[in-house]
Amino acid sequence: METKQTIENIKETFVVGLKGIIKISGFFKDIWKYKVSRYSIIISILTPIVSSIFKVDNAALLCEIQSQMIVFLPCILGFTIAGYALVVGFVQSNMINKITEPAKDTNFSLYQLMSSKFAMNVILQGVSLVFAYLYHFIIYFNSNSKLNLQFSNCYISSVNIIGLILLSFWFTISVLLVIQIVINIFNFSQLHHYFINIGKVRDKEL
């Protein structure tokens, strides 16, 4: 099979680690193009507004969100990693030959793009879990500290609102990424189906 790859392009596109994931996925460049990002930002801004309208205590809501994240996210991370393993590991050789060619408008292959986007999803959900545990221990230390620290109501209210916005963002993006991951897995299955049937048709024509 002829290839469009060159030694120079292979060396240029061989990037690993977190830097490689960010570069291939174009995360920071395309973050505002994704509906998942936009919806998460909108919901995170609306959360303290809705809380204020319904007269809900922001500190109590903050505790509830972080506790739900700690319960919810480890299970979702397991699902995401399983989906990632499915995409990366279970690819037939005839299909891998085609999807490792440079994709349209980029030097990276479709295989690299799919892999990096899945990896980015796993990282984002992992960061969400870290934020949830961070707030969990901030609340724990605040509740169990022996120091008699006094803060103004304005300061406490501001911190709670900022925390509510941040946790709402990470919780929302984690939930929406589950939908995105399912769509990605479906697209991958459709791609697999396409290559298998194209191969069968070509074998029939020989």
PDB file of all heavy atoms in Angstrom, residues 17 20 25 41 86 113-114 124 150 152 161 177 180-181 183 204:
ATOM      1  N   GLY A  17       3.357  12.371  25.475  1.00  0.00           N
ATOM      2  CA  GLY A  17       3.074  13.029  26.739  1.00  0.00           C
ATOM      3  C   GLY A  17       1.923  14.012  26.640  1.00  0.00           C
ATOM      4  O   GLY A  17       1.211  14.085  25.638  1.00  0.00           O
ATOM      5  N   GLY A  20       2.025  16.348  23.707  1.00  0.00           N
ATOM      6  CA  GLY A  20       1.574  15.733  22.465  1.00  0.00           C
ATOM      7  C   GLY A  20       0.065  15.666  22.371  1.00  0.00           C
ATOM      8  O   GLY A  20      -0.513  15.934  21.312  1.00  0.00           O
ATOM      9  N   SER A  25      -4.634  17.243  19.620  1.00  0.00           N
ATOM     10  CA  SER A  25      -6.072  17.490  19.769  1.00  0.00           C
ATOM     11  C   SER A  25      -6.442  18.939  19.467  1.00  0.00           C
ATOM     12  O   SER A  25      -7.606  19.234  19.176  1.00  0.00           O
ATOM     13  CB  SER A  25      -6.527  17.129  21.183  1.00  0.00           C
ATOM     14  OG  SER A  25      -5.933  17.988  22.147  1.00  0.00           O
ATOM     15  N   ILE A  41     -19.667  26.443  30.282  1.00  0.00           N
ATOM     16  CA  ILE A  41     -19.446  27.818  30.754  1.00  0.00           C
ATOM     17  C   ILE A  41     -20.772  28.489  31.071  1.00  0.00           C
ATOM     18  O   ILE A  41     -20.925  29.146  32.114  1.00  0.00           O
ATOM     19  CB  ILE A  41     -18.654  28.630  29.705  1.00  0.00           C
ATOM     20  CG1 ILE A  41     -17.220  28.101  29.607  1.00  0.00           C
ATOM     21  CG2 ILE A  41     -18.652  30.112  30.054  1.00  0.00           C
ATOM     22  CD1 ILE A  41     -16.439  28.646  28.433  1.00  0.00           C
ATOM     23  N   LEU A  86     -10.693   0.794  23.753  1.00  0.00           N
ATOM     24  CA  LEU A  86     -11.380   0.207  22.599  1.00  0.00           C
ATOM     25  C   LEU A  86     -10.914   0.848  21.303  1.00  0.00           C
ATOM     26  O   LEU A  86     -10.625   0.159  20.320  1.00  0.00           O
ATOM     27  CB  LEU A  86     -12.894   0.396  22.763  1.00  0.00           C
ATOM     28  CG  LEU A  86     -13.777  -0.074  21.608  1.00  0.00           C
ATOM     29  CD1 LEU A  86     -13.782  -1.593  21.536  1.00  0.00           C
ATOM     30  CD2 LEU A  86     -15.207   0.446  21.778  1.00  0.00           C
ATOM     31  N   LEU A 113      -5.583  11.817  15.752  1.00  0.00           N
ATOM     32  CA  LEU A 113      -6.598  12.785  16.165  1.00  0.00           C
ATOM     33  C   LEU A 113      -7.627  12.144  17.086  1.00  0.00           C
ATOM     34  O   LEU A 113      -7.990  12.703  18.127  1.00  0.00           O
ATOM     35  CB  LEU A 113      -7.291  13.386  14.932  1.00  0.00           C
ATOM     36  CG  LEU A 113      -6.411  14.250  14.020  1.00  0.00           C
ATOM     37  CD1 LEU A 113      -7.144  14.592  12.740  1.00  0.00           C
ATOM     38  CD2 LEU A 113      -5.990  15.532  14.737  1.00  0.00           C
ATOM     39  N   MET A 114      -8.102  10.948  16.720  1.00  0.00           N
ATOM     40  CA  MET A 114      -9.078  10.243  17.540  1.00  0.00           C
ATOM     41  C   MET A 114      -8.486   9.888  18.908  1.00  0.00           C
ATOM     42  O   MET A 114      -9.120  10.085  19.946  1.00  0.00           O
ATOM     43  CB  MET A 114      -9.547   8.971  16.819  1.00  0.00           C
ATOM     44  CG  MET A 114     -10.396   9.217  15.595  1.00  0.00           C
ATOM     45  SD  MET A 114     -10.730   7.694  14.675  1.00  0.00           S
ATOM     46  CE  MET A 114     -11.621   6.734  15.880  1.00  0.00           C
ATOM     47  N   LEU A 124      -9.517  15.677  31.166  1.00  0.00           N
ATOM     48  CA  LEU A 124     -10.477  16.670  31.662  1.00  0.00           C
ATOM     49  C   LEU A 124     -11.318  16.098  32.801  1.00  0.00           C
ATOM     50  O   LEU A 124     -11.566  16.776  33.809  1.00  0.00           O
ATOM     51  CB  LEU A 124     -11.387  17.148  30.521  1.00  0.00           C
ATOM     52  CG  LEU A 124     -10.729  18.052  29.475  1.00  0.00           C
ATOM     53  CD1 LEU A 124     -11.688  18.329  28.333  1.00  0.00           C
ATOM     54  CD2 LEU A 124     -10.264  19.363  30.103  1.00  0.00           C
ATOM     55  N   GLN A 150     -11.514  34.562  61.476  1.00  0.00           N
ATOM     56  CA  GLN A 150     -12.747  35.286  61.207  1.00  0.00           C
ATOM     57  C   GLN A 150     -12.660  35.960  59.835  1.00  0.00           C
ATOM     58  O   GLN A 150     -11.708  36.680  59.541  1.00  0.00           O
ATOM     59  CB  GLN A 150     -12.976  36.356  62.292  1.00  0.00           C
ATOM     60  CG  GLN A 150     -13.128  35.805  63.700  1.00  0.00           C
ATOM     61  CD  GLN A 150     -14.389  34.976  63.851  1.00  0.00           C
ATOM     62  OE1 GLN A 150     -15.414  35.256  63.233  1.00  0.00           O
ATOM     63  NE2 GLN A 150     -14.319  33.938  64.688  1.00  0.00           N
ATOM     64  N   SER A 152     -15.003  38.108  56.733  1.00  0.00           N
ATOM     65  CA  SER A 152     -16.232  38.874  56.520  1.00  0.00           C
ATOM     66  C   SER A 152     -17.231  38.066  55.698  1.00  0.00           C
ATOM     67  O   SER A 152     -16.850  37.182  54.926  1.00  0.00           O
ATOM     68  CB  SER A 152     -15.912  40.191  55.800  1.00  0.00           C
ATOM     69  OG  SER A 152     -15.480  39.941  54.475  1.00  0.00           O
ATOM     70  N   ILE A 161     -19.265  31.691  45.786  1.00  0.00           N
ATOM     71  CA  ILE A 161     -19.752  31.895  44.411  1.00  0.00           C
ATOM     72  C   ILE A 161     -18.696  31.455  43.401  1.00  0.00           C
ATOM     73  O   ILE A 161     -19.006  30.770  42.411  1.00  0.00           O
ATOM     74  CB  ILE A 161     -20.153  33.373  44.184  1.00  0.00           C
ATOM     75  CG1 ILE A 161     -21.431  33.702  44.962  1.00  0.00           C
ATOM     76  CG2 ILE A 161     -20.356  33.650  42.692  1.00  0.00           C
ATOM     77  CD1 ILE A 161     -21.796  35.160  44.959  1.00  0.00           C
ATOM     78  N   LEU A 177     -19.141  15.339  28.523  1.00  0.00           N
ATOM     79  CA  LEU A 177     -18.115  14.554  27.850  1.00  0.00           C
ATOM     80  C   LEU A 177     -18.519  13.089  27.719  1.00  0.00           C
ATOM     81  O   LEU A 177     -18.076  12.406  26.797  1.00  0.00           O
ATOM     82  CB  LEU A 177     -16.783  14.660  28.595  1.00  0.00           C
ATOM     83  CG  LEU A 177     -15.965  15.923  28.330  1.00  0.00           C
ATOM     84  CD1 LEU A 177     -14.744  15.963  29.244  1.00  0.00           C
ATOM     85  CD2 LEU A 177     -15.535  16.021  26.876  1.00  0.00           C
ATOM     86  N   GLN A 180     -20.309  13.002  24.575  1.00  0.00           N
ATOM     87  CA  GLN A 180     -19.349  13.150  23.486  1.00  0.00           C
ATOM     88  C   GLN A 180     -18.565  11.864  23.262  1.00  0.00           C
ATOM     89  O   GLN A 180     -18.297  11.470  22.112  1.00  0.00           O
ATOM     90  CB  GLN A 180     -18.393  14.304  23.795  1.00  0.00           C
ATOM     91  CG  GLN A 180     -17.424  14.642  22.669  1.00  0.00           C
ATOM     92  CD  GLN A 180     -18.134  15.071  21.407  1.00  0.00           C
ATOM     93  OE1 GLN A 180     -18.954  15.987  21.430  1.00  0.00           O
ATOM     94  NE2 GLN A 180     -17.845  14.409  20.296  1.00  0.00           N
ATOM     95  N   ILE A 181     -18.215  11.180  24.329  1.00  0.00           N
ATOM     96  CA  ILE A 181     -17.460   9.925  24.217  1.00  0.00           C
ATOM     97  C   ILE A 181     -18.296   8.852  23.532  1.00  0.00           C
ATOM     98  O   ILE A 181     -17.800   8.095  22.690  1.00  0.00           O
ATOM     99  CB  ILE A 181     -16.981   9.468  25.603  1.00  0.00           C
ATOM    100  CG1 ILE A 181     -15.869  10.389  26.108  1.00  0.00           C
ATOM    101  CG2 ILE A 181     -16.467   8.026  25.565  1.00  0.00           C
ATOM    102  CD1 ILE A 181     -15.611  10.290  27.582  1.00  0.00           C
ATOM    103  N   ILE A 183     -20.682   9.377  21.402  1.00  0.00           N
ATOM    104  CA  ILE A 183     -20.728   9.761  19.986  1.00  0.00           C
ATOM    105  C   ILE A 183     -19.428   9.370  19.288  1.00  0.00           C
ATOM    106  O   ILE A 183     -19.439   8.845  18.163  1.00  0.00           O
ATOM    107  CB  ILE A 183     -20.989  11.279  19.842  1.00  0.00           C
ATOM    108  CG1 ILE A 183     -22.398  11.620  20.325  1.00  0.00           C
ATOM    109  CG2 ILE A 183     -20.808  11.735  18.388  1.00  0.00           C
ATOM    110  CD1 ILE A 183     -22.677  13.103  20.446  1.00  0.00           C
ATOM    111  N   LYS A 204     -15.055  -8.453  -3.920  1.00  0.00           N
ATOM    112  CA  LYS A 204     -16.065  -8.984  -4.827  1.00  0.00           C
ATOM    113  C   LYS A 204     -15.783  -8.559  -6.279  1.00  0.00           C
ATOM    114  O   LYS A 204     -16.055  -9.300  -7.227  1.00  0.00           O
ATOM    115  CB  LYS A 204     -17.441  -8.491  -4.387  1.00  0.00           C
ATOM    116  CG  LYS A 204     -18.592  -9.058  -5.194  1.00  0.00           C
ATOM    117  CD  LYS A 204     -19.918  -8.523  -4.654  1.00  0.00           C
ATOM    118  CE  LYS A 204     -21.076  -9.055  -5.484  1.00  0.00           C
ATOM    119  NZ  LYS A 204     -22.364  -8.507  -4.977  1.00  0.00           N
TER     120      LYS A 204
END
